[in-house]
Amino acid sequence: MKLRKWQSACVKQVLQKYNNYLKHFMCLATPAAGKTTMAAEVALQLIKQDKIDFVICFCPTKEVEQGIRRTFERHLNRSFNGSIGALGGVYTYQSLLTLTSEFWQILREYRVLVIFDELHHCAGDRLANANAWGAQILINICGYATYTLGLSGTPWRSDQLPITLGRYLEDNKIECDFSYGLKEAVADAVCRQPRIVLIDNDRITVTSRKEEAKTFFSLTDAFSGSDLAYKSIISEQETMKYILSQGISKLSELRQQNPDAGGLIVASSIEHAIELAQMLQSDFDQSTVMVSHQDSMPSEIIDSYRKQNTEWIVSVGMISEGTDIPRLQVCCYLSHVRTEMYYRQVLGRILRVNTSANQEAWFYTFAEANLVKYANRIQSDLPDTRVIYELENEAASYIHGGQIGQSLPNGISELSLSFDGRTNTNLNNDANLNELYKAPDYQLIGQYRQKVISLFKV
């Protein structure tokens, strides 16, 4: 397989560092750039040079696990399923908590390359501030692996803890051995040029229990100047229909050139996803499939969508980092999660290039202040990457970096999710929301308007 220019350059630098008796390499490559193929080439070269016996990979989700296995088996022409005779295997970070001492003995008795996909899921440079996954790396891998290779498209954490195995500069910003940003990837035609559509309304009236009706001239002003919550907008029938109509119109346009072009809807909860899927089918006559962590075989659902020409897939936390569906070209972002990391990872799902005639990528979301800010700084590869090295005590370190990583589903490990001032890790059982928080009455009586942020024009 012919490597991309950046992949060849990165492989060369990895091998040079390893040849200089340095064991760890950290690669920042923008989502959808092809990090897995680069890592497979590193493994291939180390095998050819007789420097390793086995390769072990760790990654966030089962879906990503399957993609890595396919790539390594194709690139190395060897079995990579962890069985007898295989070159190695790939495991989720969750499995770090259940691997036996016999498994870890492999690193003590053989020369092993350990690859960490989306390493930012693992926190801690010492046991006192490590999360459950980071602690296992510090205990069982750091002193025993022959080489380690860390990969990330977003190498920072929303809780600002240090990434395990990361090196930090004096200003507490992470230092990567190799960086390949989205701007470079678009210029090289490795990734599609993103177009982010911010949807707003120019007249919103909000009436709360405490105050008379107020009129706002943007969603950002309404969110900041009243009790109107972002969640109310993304779950409102009218606004859902509007954003879907815009995404459908764009996808229909793209499918005139690319008949199998697909669209992704990122929902907030299973109930939200069901409503969106029904709306797509009944109101817009769109072919649709839905996937969530409650499905018995979510990877099979995603793989089936990948190979077919169904128009839309509605996801609850299942299609973000590392999920490879190149035919996706449109995304409607209706998630309650408003962290920059998740935002960028979802955007990356529509940026993978393929052989289709039209390589446009369109990302639709509402003009909430954080989402507007993220859109305007996509051009910065490492925003807000300073870390907190000292917390008040070890107990605080454990709360922030310990159990959260293993309790959230689908590889979202950075922090407990919150909105409206309430901590919430299970939005699917939120039927009593109105008892806890009475949303104000509001009306969107103005005209919808859209601002298109077209990044990295080529």
Side-chain angles (χ1 to χ4, degrees):
M1 176 185 292
K2 184 178 180 181
L3 296 179
R4 292 166 174 167
K5 184 178 179 180
W6 85 264
Q7 292 169 331
S8 296
C10 187
V11 169
K12 182 178 179 180
Q13 289 191 28
V14 174
L15 297 177
Q16 285 177 344
K17 188 167 185 179
Y18 291 165
N19 288 335
N20 287 325
Y21 305 101
L22 298 171
K23 294 178 58 173
H24 181 64
F25 192 97
M26 182 67 189
C27 170
L28 181 168
T30 189
K35 293 183 289 294
T36 305
T37 297
M38 185 280 295
E41 179 66 19
V42 169
L44 179 62
Q45 293 302 319
L46 291 174
I47 292 165
K48 287 181 176 179
Q49 296 175 22
D50 192 29
K51 291 188 174 182
I52 58 171
D53 302 307
F54 296 109
V55 182
I56 296 173
C57 296
F58 292 99
C59 65
T61 66
K62 295 293 290 184
E63 167 64 23
V64 177
E65 176 188 309
Q66 292 182 12
I68 292 174
R69 182 177 298 116
R70 288 192 298 265
T71 298
F72 269 65
E73 289 183 341
R74 181 172 63 248
H75 197 82
L76 302 177
N77 197 28
R78 291 278 300 275
S79 175
F80 200 69
N81 60 9
S83 63
I84 294 175
L87 180 61
V90 54
Y91 310 87
T92 65
Y93 287 123
Q94 184 71 33
S95 68
L96 281 166
L97 308 177
T98 60
L99 294 171
T100 64
S101 58
E102 287 82 3
F103 179 91
W104 296 122
Q105 195 65 26
I106 296 172
L107 276 75
R108 292 159 173 78
E109 296 182 359
Y110 296 93
R111 302 170 300 170
V112 181
L113 166 66
V114 183
I115 299 169
F116 302 98
D117 185 55
E118 307 298 355
L119 182 55
H120 54 264
H121 284 278
C122 305
D125 54 2
R126 58 189 185 276
L127 291 179
N129 65 2
N131 69 1
W133 301 341
Q136 291 299 314
I137 294 172
L138 294 172
I139 293 168
N140 292 305
I141 298 176
C142 275
Y144 302 101
T146 305
Y147 304 109
T148 54
L149 174 59
L151 311 173
S152 181
T154 50
W156 71 90
R157 291 179 56 85
S158 298
D159 58 14
Q160 295 185 300
L161 284 167
I163 295 171
T164 306
L165 300 180
R167 293 191 316 277
Y168 289 84
L169 303 172
E170 290 183 0
D171 61 356
N172 287 353
K173 286 190 174 184
I174 194 166
E175 180 180 26
C176 296
D177 297 289
F178 186 92
S179 296
Y180 184 70
L182 182 55
K183 183 176 182 179
E184 298 166 282
V186 171
D188 293 343
V190 167
C191 288
R192 295 169 179 147
Q193 177 193 353
R195 292 173 174 86
I196 300 175
V197 182
L198 301 171
I199 296 173
D200 210 338
N201 193 285
D202 61 13
R203 190 173 178 84
I204 306 113
T205 62
V206 182
T207 305
S208 67
R209 290 178 296 173
K210 299 177 182 179
E211 300 176 341
E212 295 182 355
K214 290 184 177 180
T215 300
F216 301 91
F217 302 102
S218 72
L219 288 172
T220 297
D221 289 344
F223 294 142
S224 62
S226 72
D227 292 332
L228 179 62
Y230 169 74
K231 184 179 183 295
S232 298
I233 295 298
I234 62 174
S235 58
E236 165 65 38
Q237 286 267 339
E238 178 189 344
T239 52
M240 286 193 295
K241 282 186 178 180
Y242 183 82
I243 194 171
L244 291 183
S245 71
Q246 299 307 297
I248 289 166
S249 176
K250 181 56 64 177
L251 183 62
S252 176
E253 178 185 321
L254 292 172
R255 283 171 74 99
Q256 293 179 18
Q257 290 183 280
N258 307 346
D260 68 341
L264 167 65
I265 309 292
V266 183
S268 289
S269 67
I270 290 176
E271 288 80 3
H272 190 214
I274 291 171
E275 186 175 10
L276 287 163
Q278 290 175 342
M279 198 175 288
L280 284 166
Q281 293 171 337
S282 60
D283 293 358
F284 297 102
D285 195 27
Q286 297 284 291
S287 55
T288 308
V289 65
M290 176 181 149
V291 63
S292 79
H293 65 275
Q294 288 191 355
D295 291 305
S296 59
M297 295 186 293
S299 294
E300 285 75 4
I301 294 172
I302 293 171
D303 192 50
S304 176
Y305 176 83
R306 179 186 291 115
K307 297 172 181 176
Q308 296 176 358
N309 69 344
T310 304
E311 287 160 312
W312 293 94
I313 184 165
V314 183
S315 167
V316 187
M318 296 301 297
I319 301 178
S320 57
E321 58 191 355
T323 307
D324 183 7
I325 311 176
R327 72 184 189 89
L328 286 177
Q329 291 186 250
V330 178
C331 176
C332 295
Y333 188 85
L334 291 162
S335 173
H336 61 273
V337 182
R338 284 169 288 163
T339 65
E340 188 159 12
M341 178 179 294
Y342 190 62
Y343 183 87
R344 288 185 181 228
Q345 290 286 0
V346 172
L347 175 63
R349 296 321 96 211
I350 60 172
L351 300 185
R352 293 185 186 273
V353 296
N354 58 11
T355 58
S356 297
N358 186 314
Q359 292 296 306
E360 294 179 26
W362 292 83
F363 189 89
Y364 291 83
T365 190
F366 288 105
E368 186 270 343
N370 287 314
L371 303 183
V372 172
K373 178 174 63 177
Y374 303 156
N376 281 289
R377 67 182 187 194
I378 290 293
Q379 298 182 78
S380 173
D381 294 316
L382 286 170
D384 294 344
T385 55
R386 291 179 177 84
V387 301
I388 299 172
Y389 272 102
E390 299 296 338
L391 297 174
E392 292 182 1
N393 52 56
E394 289 191 9
S397 295
Y398 191 70
I399 292 169
H400 280 276
Q403 295 298 316
I404 290 171
Q406 65 189 48
S407 64
L408 287 178
N410 312 321
I412 303 174
S413 63
E414 279 61 49
L415 74 170
S416 64
L417 308 175
S418 65
F419 65 95
D420 297 339
R422 299 183 301 109
T423 298
N424 193 334
T425 56
N426 186 1
L427 293 175
N428 300 327
N429 297 319
D430 212 17
N432 296 321
L433 174 62
N434 289 330
E435 295 180 13
L436 300 173
Y437 171 81
K438 181 169 177 57
D441 295 325
Y442 69 93
Q443 287 183 301
L444 278 70
I445 58 177
Q447 296 294 315
Y448 283 103
R449 60 173 182 250
Q450 298 182 8
K451 178 180 179 181
V452 180
I453 298 178
S454 187
L455 299 164
F456 312 120
K457 292 183 178 180
V458 292

